[in-house]
PDB file of all heavy atoms in Angstrom:
ATOM      1  N   LYS A   1       0.585  11.832   0.112  1.00  0.00           N
ATOM      2  CA  LYS A   1      -0.175  12.596  -0.876  1.00  0.00           C
ATOM      3  C   LYS A   1       0.093  12.177  -2.317  1.00  0.00           C
ATOM      4  O   LYS A   1      -0.482  12.752  -3.240  1.00  0.00           O
ATOM      5  CB  LYS A   1       0.121  14.083  -0.719  1.00  0.00           C
ATOM      6  CG  LYS A   1      -0.276  14.657   0.652  1.00  0.00           C
ATOM      7  CD  LYS A   1      -1.753  14.415   0.953  1.00  0.00           C
ATOM      8  CE  LYS A   1      -2.160  15.001   2.293  1.00  0.00           C
ATOM      9  NZ  LYS A   1      -3.602  14.693   2.604  1.00  0.00           N
ATOM     10  N   ARG A   2       0.923  11.158  -2.504  1.00  0.00           N
ATOM     11  CA  ARG A   2       1.234  10.701  -3.851  1.00  0.00           C
ATOM     12  C   ARG A   2       0.052   9.953  -4.466  1.00  0.00           C
ATOM     13  O   ARG A   2      -0.698   9.255  -3.790  1.00  0.00           O
ATOM     14  CB  ARG A   2       2.461   9.805  -3.825  1.00  0.00           C
ATOM     15  CG  ARG A   2       3.762  10.529  -3.468  1.00  0.00           C
ATOM     16  CD  ARG A   2       4.356  11.238  -4.659  1.00  0.00           C
ATOM     17  NE  ARG A   2       4.756  10.298  -5.702  1.00  0.00           N
ATOM     18  CZ  ARG A   2       5.951   9.698  -5.758  1.00  0.00           C
ATOM     19  NH1 ARG A   2       6.875   9.941  -4.830  1.00  0.00           N
ATOM     20  NH2 ARG A   2       6.242   8.882  -6.756  1.00  0.00           N
ATOM     21  N   SER A   3      -0.106  10.090  -5.779  1.00  0.00           N
ATOM     22  CA  SER A   3      -1.102   9.324  -6.505  1.00  0.00           C
ATOM     23  C   SER A   3      -0.535   7.946  -6.841  1.00  0.00           C
ATOM     24  O   SER A   3       0.656   7.829  -7.181  1.00  0.00           O
ATOM     25  CB  SER A   3      -1.485  10.037  -7.794  1.00  0.00           C
ATOM     26  OG  SER A   3      -2.212   9.185  -8.663  1.00  0.00           O
ATOM     27  N   PRO A   4      -1.339   6.855  -6.760  1.00  0.00           N
ATOM     28  CA  PRO A   4      -0.834   5.539  -7.138  1.00  0.00           C
ATOM     29  C   PRO A   4      -0.242   5.502  -8.538  1.00  0.00           C
ATOM     30  O   PRO A   4       0.692   4.739  -8.794  1.00  0.00           O
ATOM     31  CB  PRO A   4      -2.072   4.649  -7.034  1.00  0.00           C
ATOM     32  CG  PRO A   4      -2.935   5.310  -6.007  1.00  0.00           C
ATOM     33  CD  PRO A   4      -2.717   6.781  -6.222  1.00  0.00           C
ATOM     34  N   ALA A   5      -0.749   6.335  -9.454  1.00  0.00           N
ATOM     35  CA  ALA A   5      -0.263   6.341 -10.830  1.00  0.00           C
ATOM     36  C   ALA A   5       1.185   6.806 -10.933  1.00  0.00           C
ATOM     37  O   ALA A   5       1.855   6.521 -11.935  1.00  0.00           O
ATOM     38  CB  ALA A   5      -1.156   7.219 -11.705  1.00  0.00           C
ATOM     39  N   THR A   6       1.677   7.528  -9.936  1.00  0.00           N
ATOM     40  CA  THR A   6       3.051   8.034  -9.963  1.00  0.00           C
ATOM     41  C   THR A   6       4.048   7.062  -9.331  1.00  0.00           C
ATOM     42  O   THR A   6       5.243   7.349  -9.302  1.00  0.00           O
ATOM     43  CB  THR A   6       3.151   9.383  -9.228  1.00  0.00           C
ATOM     44  OG1 THR A   6       2.923   9.190  -7.819  1.00  0.00           O
ATOM     45  CG2 THR A   6       2.125  10.364  -9.783  1.00  0.00           C
ATOM     46  N   LEU A   7       3.565   5.936  -8.832  1.00  0.00           N
ATOM     47  CA  LEU A   7       4.421   4.987  -8.131  1.00  0.00           C
ATOM     48  C   LEU A   7       4.903   3.874  -9.060  1.00  0.00           C
ATOM     49  O   LEU A   7       4.224   3.508 -10.014  1.00  0.00           O
ATOM     50  CB  LEU A   7       3.667   4.356  -6.965  1.00  0.00           C
ATOM     51  CG  LEU A   7       3.038   5.304  -5.937  1.00  0.00           C
ATOM     52  CD1 LEU A   7       2.312   4.500  -4.858  1.00  0.00           C
ATOM     53  CD2 LEU A   7       4.082   6.212  -5.325  1.00  0.00           C
ATOM     54  N   SER A   8       6.066   3.346  -8.762  1.00  0.00           N
ATOM     55  CA  SER A   8       6.560   2.166  -9.469  1.00  0.00           C
ATOM     56  C   SER A   8       5.755   0.942  -9.045  1.00  0.00           C
ATOM     57  O   SER A   8       4.998   0.971  -8.067  1.00  0.00           O
ATOM     58  CB  SER A   8       8.035   1.942  -9.162  1.00  0.00           C
ATOM     59  OG  SER A   8       8.215   1.568  -7.794  1.00  0.00           O
ATOM     60  N   GLY A   9       5.945  -0.176  -9.772  1.00  0.00           N
ATOM     61  CA  GLY A   9       5.240  -1.397  -9.418  1.00  0.00           C
ATOM     62  C   GLY A   9       5.556  -1.869  -8.009  1.00  0.00           C
ATOM     63  O   GLY A   9       4.664  -2.287  -7.260  1.00  0.00           O
ATOM     64  N   GLY A  10       6.824  -1.796  -7.634  1.00  0.00           N
ATOM     65  CA  GLY A  10       7.208  -2.198  -6.295  1.00  0.00           C
ATOM     66  C   GLY A  10       6.608  -1.306  -5.219  1.00  0.00           C
ATOM     67  O   GLY A  10       6.183  -1.777  -4.163  1.00  0.00           O
ATOM     68  N   GLN A  11       6.562   0.002  -5.480  1.00  0.00           N
ATOM     69  CA  GLN A  11       5.964   0.924  -4.531  1.00  0.00           C
ATOM     70  C   GLN A  11       4.464   0.680  -4.397  1.00  0.00           C
ATOM     71  O   GLN A  11       3.908   0.744  -3.295  1.00  0.00           O
ATOM     72  CB  GLN A  11       6.247   2.362  -4.964  1.00  0.00           C
ATOM     73  CG  GLN A  11       7.704   2.766  -4.819  1.00  0.00           C
ATOM     74  CD  GLN A  11       8.009   4.096  -5.479  1.00  0.00           C
ATOM     75  OE1 GLN A  11       7.307   4.531  -6.408  1.00  0.00           O
ATOM     76  NE2 GLN A  11       9.068   4.753  -5.031  1.00  0.00           N
ATOM     77  N   GLN A  12       3.793   0.398  -5.501  1.00  0.00           N
ATOM     78  CA  GLN A  12       2.366   0.105  -5.440  1.00  0.00           C
ATOM     79  C   GLN A  12       2.092  -1.131  -4.593  1.00  0.00           C
ATOM     80  O   GLN A  12       1.136  -1.151  -3.809  1.00  0.00           O
ATOM     81  CB  GLN A  12       1.805  -0.085  -6.848  1.00  0.00           C
ATOM     82  CG  GLN A  12       1.743   1.195  -7.674  1.00  0.00           C
ATOM     83  CD  GLN A  12       1.177   0.969  -9.049  1.00  0.00           C
ATOM     84  OE1 GLN A  12       0.617  -0.080  -9.354  1.00  0.00           O
ATOM     85  NE2 GLN A  12       1.321   1.946  -9.933  1.00  0.00           N
ATOM     86  N   GLN A  13       2.921  -2.160  -4.717  1.00  0.00           N
ATOM     87  CA  GLN A  13       2.727  -3.357  -3.910  1.00  0.00           C
ATOM     88  C   GLN A  13       2.987  -3.080  -2.437  1.00  0.00           C
ATOM     89  O   GLN A  13       2.341  -3.656  -1.558  1.00  0.00           O
ATOM     90  CB  GLN A  13       3.619  -4.490  -4.407  1.00  0.00           C
ATOM     91  CG  GLN A  13       3.179  -5.096  -5.742  1.00  0.00           C
ATOM     92  CD  GLN A  13       1.775  -5.657  -5.695  1.00  0.00           C
ATOM     93  OE1 GLN A  13       0.784  -4.927  -5.816  1.00  0.00           O
ATOM     94  NE2 GLN A  13       1.668  -6.957  -5.519  1.00  0.00           N
ATOM     95  N   ARG A  14       3.915  -2.198  -2.129  1.00  0.00           N
ATOM     96  CA  ARG A  14       4.152  -1.805  -0.742  1.00  0.00           C
ATOM     97  C   ARG A  14       2.932  -1.097  -0.161  1.00  0.00           C
ATOM     98  O   ARG A  14       2.544  -1.336   0.987  1.00  0.00           O
ATOM     99  CB  ARG A  14       5.383  -0.908  -0.652  1.00  0.00           C
ATOM    100  CG  ARG A  14       6.703  -1.627  -0.919  1.00  0.00           C
ATOM    101  CD  ARG A  14       7.841  -0.624  -0.966  1.00  0.00           C
ATOM    102  NE  ARG A  14       9.107  -1.235  -1.289  1.00  0.00           N
ATOM    103  CZ  ARG A  14       9.988  -1.703  -0.402  1.00  0.00           C
ATOM    104  NH1 ARG A  14       9.708  -1.630   0.886  1.00  0.00           N
ATOM    105  NH2 ARG A  14      11.130  -2.248  -0.795  1.00  0.00           N
ATOM    106  N   VAL A  15       2.323  -0.227  -0.962  1.00  0.00           N
ATOM    107  CA  VAL A  15       1.126   0.467  -0.503  1.00  0.00           C
ATOM    108  C   VAL A  15      -0.015  -0.532  -0.302  1.00  0.00           C
ATOM    109  O   VAL A  15      -0.750  -0.460   0.692  1.00  0.00           O
ATOM    110  CB  VAL A  15       0.714   1.571  -1.493  1.00  0.00           C
ATOM    111  CG1 VAL A  15      -0.632   2.185  -1.093  1.00  0.00           C
ATOM    112  CG2 VAL A  15       1.777   2.653  -1.560  1.00  0.00           C
ATOM    113  N   ALA A  16      -0.179  -1.468  -1.242  1.00  0.00           N
ATOM    114  CA  ALA A  16      -1.224  -2.484  -1.113  1.00  0.00           C
ATOM    115  C   ALA A  16      -1.024  -3.314   0.142  1.00  0.00           C
ATOM    116  O   ALA A  16      -1.985  -3.667   0.839  1.00  0.00           O
ATOM    117  CB  ALA A  16      -1.239  -3.378  -2.353  1.00  0.00           C
ATOM    118  N   LEU A  17       0.223  -3.639   0.463  1.00  0.00           N
ATOM    119  CA  LEU A  17       0.502  -4.388   1.678  1.00  0.00           C
ATOM    120  C   LEU A  17       0.163  -3.571   2.915  1.00  0.00           C
ATOM    121  O   LEU A  17      -0.444  -4.083   3.865  1.00  0.00           O
ATOM    122  CB  LEU A  17       1.974  -4.813   1.701  1.00  0.00           C
ATOM    123  CG  LEU A  17       2.447  -5.576   2.929  1.00  0.00           C
ATOM    124  CD1 LEU A  17       1.666  -6.879   3.083  1.00  0.00           C
ATOM    125  CD2 LEU A  17       3.952  -5.864   2.833  1.00  0.00           C
ATOM    126  N   ALA A  18       0.541  -2.297   2.903  1.00  0.00           N
ATOM    127  CA  ALA A  18       0.197  -1.426   4.024  1.00  0.00           C
ATOM    128  C   ALA A  18      -1.314  -1.349   4.203  1.00  0.00           C
ATOM    129  O   ALA A  18      -1.818  -1.359   5.332  1.00  0.00           O
ATOM    130  CB  ALA A  18       0.789  -0.033   3.803  1.00  0.00           C
ATOM    131  N   ARG A  19      -2.056  -1.252   3.108  1.00  0.00           N
ATOM    132  CA  ARG A  19      -3.509  -1.201   3.179  1.00  0.00           C
ATOM    133  C   ARG A  19      -4.082  -2.478   3.781  1.00  0.00           C
ATOM    134  O   ARG A  19      -4.991  -2.449   4.609  1.00  0.00           O
ATOM    135  CB  ARG A  19      -4.103  -0.955   1.801  1.00  0.00           C
ATOM    136  CG  ARG A  19      -5.614  -0.746   1.791  1.00  0.00           C
ATOM    137  CD  ARG A  19      -6.135  -0.445   0.398  1.00  0.00           C
ATOM    138  NE  ARG A  19      -5.953  -1.582  -0.500  1.00  0.00           N
ATOM    139  CZ  ARG A  19      -6.320  -1.559  -1.766  1.00  0.00           C
ATOM    140  NH1 ARG A  19      -6.851  -0.474  -2.310  1.00  0.00           N
ATOM    141  NH2 ARG A  19      -6.132  -2.636  -2.516  1.00  0.00           N
ATOM    142  N   ALA A  20      -3.562  -3.619   3.359  1.00  0.00           N
ATOM    143  CA  ALA A  20      -4.048  -4.888   3.886  1.00  0.00           C
ATOM    144  C   ALA A  20      -3.757  -5.038   5.370  1.00  0.00           C
ATOM    145  O   ALA A  20      -4.528  -5.651   6.104  1.00  0.00           O
ATOM    146  CB  ALA A  20      -3.428  -6.041   3.105  1.00  0.00           C
ATOM    147  N   LEU A  21      -2.633  -4.479   5.833  1.00  0.00           N
ATOM    148  CA  LEU A  21      -2.236  -4.605   7.225  1.00  0.00           C
ATOM    149  C   LEU A  21      -2.895  -3.568   8.128  1.00  0.00           C
ATOM    150  O   LEU A  21      -2.898  -3.737   9.359  1.00  0.00           O
ATOM    151  CB  LEU A  21      -0.715  -4.478   7.358  1.00  0.00           C
ATOM    152  CG  LEU A  21       0.123  -5.619   6.781  1.00  0.00           C
ATOM    153  CD1 LEU A  21       1.594  -5.227   6.758  1.00  0.00           C
ATOM    154  CD2 LEU A  21      -0.067  -6.896   7.593  1.00  0.00           C
ATOM    155  N   ALA A  22      -3.436  -2.520   7.554  1.00  0.00           N
ATOM    156  CA  ALA A  22      -3.900  -1.377   8.336  1.00  0.00           C
ATOM    157  C   ALA A  22      -4.894  -1.767   9.414  1.00  0.00           C
ATOM    158  O   ALA A  22      -4.848  -1.256  10.536  1.00  0.00           O
ATOM    159  CB  ALA A  22      -4.496  -0.311   7.417  1.00  0.00           C
ATOM    160  N   VAL A  23      -5.812  -2.666   9.100  1.00  0.00           N
ATOM    161  CA  VAL A  23      -6.861  -3.038  10.037  1.00  0.00           C
ATOM    162  C   VAL A  23      -6.502  -4.258  10.879  1.00  0.00           C
ATOM    163  O   VAL A  23      -7.346  -4.821  11.562  1.00  0.00           O
ATOM    164  CB  VAL A  23      -8.175  -3.286   9.292  1.00  0.00           C
ATOM    165  CG1 VAL A  23      -8.722  -2.008   8.706  1.00  0.00           C
ATOM    166  CG2 VAL A  23      -7.966  -4.332   8.184  1.00  0.00           C
ATOM    167  N   ARG A  24      -5.249  -4.677  10.823  1.00  0.00           N
ATOM    168  CA  ARG A  24      -4.737  -5.791  11.620  1.00  0.00           C
ATOM    169  C   ARG A  24      -5.582  -7.050  11.444  1.00  0.00           C
ATOM    170  O   ARG A  24      -6.183  -7.555  12.403  1.00  0.00           O
ATOM    171  CB  ARG A  24      -4.634  -5.404  13.088  1.00  0.00           C
ATOM    172  CG  ARG A  24      -3.636  -4.296  13.368  1.00  0.00           C
ATOM    173  CD  ARG A  24      -3.480  -4.030  14.845  1.00  0.00           C
ATOM    174  NE  ARG A  24      -2.413  -3.091  15.123  1.00  0.00           N
ATOM    175  CZ  ARG A  24      -2.550  -1.785  15.166  1.00  0.00           C
ATOM    176  NH1 ARG A  24      -3.741  -1.222  14.921  1.00  0.00           N
ATOM    177  NH2 ARG A  24      -1.530  -0.995  15.417  1.00  0.00           N
ATOM    178  N   PRO A  25      -5.638  -7.612  10.237  1.00  0.00           N
ATOM    179  CA  PRO A  25      -6.416  -8.835  10.019  1.00  0.00           C
ATOM    180  C   PRO A  25      -5.827  -9.986  10.811  1.00  0.00           C
ATOM    181  O   PRO A  25      -4.614 -10.061  11.016  1.00  0.00           O
ATOM    182  CB  PRO A  25      -6.280  -9.070   8.521  1.00  0.00           C
ATOM    183  CG  PRO A  25      -4.972  -8.441   8.164  1.00  0.00           C
ATOM    184  CD  PRO A  25      -4.862  -7.225   9.030  1.00  0.00           C
ATOM    185  N   ARG A  26      -6.692 -10.900  11.241  1.00  0.00           N
ATOM    186  CA  ARG A  26      -6.166 -12.024  11.999  1.00  0.00           C
ATOM    187  C   ARG A  26      -5.456 -13.023  11.086  1.00  0.00           C
ATOM    188  O   ARG A  26      -4.652 -13.834  11.567  1.00  0.00           O
ATOM    189  CB  ARG A  26      -7.263 -12.702  12.817  1.00  0.00           C
ATOM    190  CG  ARG A  26      -8.433 -13.259  12.038  1.00  0.00           C
ATOM    191  CD  ARG A  26      -9.388 -13.972  12.987  1.00  0.00           C
ATOM    192  NE  ARG A  26     -10.529 -14.550  12.286  1.00  0.00           N
ATOM    193  CZ  ARG A  26     -11.379 -15.392  12.859  1.00  0.00           C
ATOM    194  NH1 ARG A  26     -11.191 -15.786  14.104  1.00  0.00           N
ATOM    195  NH2 ARG A  26     -12.405 -15.863  12.166  1.00  0.00           N
TER     196      ARG A  26
END
């Protein structure tokens, strides 16, 4: 439930990575 604006740079990149992996790209 956290807003991206409340995250550190490292946390934002972790979320971006999770988003990219979510759909299991080949």
Side-chain angles (χ1 to χ4, degrees):
K1 298 304 181 183
R2 292 279 296 273
S3 167
T6 68
L7 305 179
S8 68
Q11 290 170 336
Q12 290 180 12
Q13 288 301 81
R14 290 173 183 268
V15 173
L17 178 61
R19 186 177 65 180
L21 291 170
V23 292
R24 296 185 173 89
R26 60 177 181 169

